[in-house]
Amino acid sequence: SLIGQSIGAILPVSFREQHHSGFARFKLTEQSKVVNHPLELATICSDGQTIRSEHYIVAEKDAASGWSFAATLRPLEGPHAC
């Protein structure tokens, strides 16, 4: 289960630095080109296999606790493809 964890855990190692840089940039600027837009990315499954999937990331800001992020992933290939 990834609830409460960084989505970086399921991204290929070669993409994690870009993910962390983009996340840091969003926290500074509060602007994003990827939030609320479907993204086709590689995802590492629990069995270690890498598949293509659609990621849809949302962000919500609360005055008391700051930013919260959530993502929905939809496999585009493999046994769970939609």
Side-chain angles (χ1 to χ4, degrees), residues 45-66:
C45 299
S46 59
D47 65 1
Q49 179 184 0
T50 300
I51 63 167
R52 290 180 311 111
S53 62
E54 181 182 86
H55 297 215
Y56 193 84
I57 304 164
V58 294
E60 183 175 299
K61 188 174 185 179
D62 178 65
S65 58

Side-chain angles (χ1 to χ4, degrees), residues 7-8 12-14 19 24 26-28 38-39 45 47 67 69 71 73 76-77 80-81:
I7 196 169
V13 173
S14 61
H19 166 74
F26 178 82
K27 288 172 66 175
L28 288 173
L39 306 168
C45 299
D47 65 1
W67 285 100
F69 298 88
L73 280 64
L76 298 174
E77 60 187 19
H80 301 290

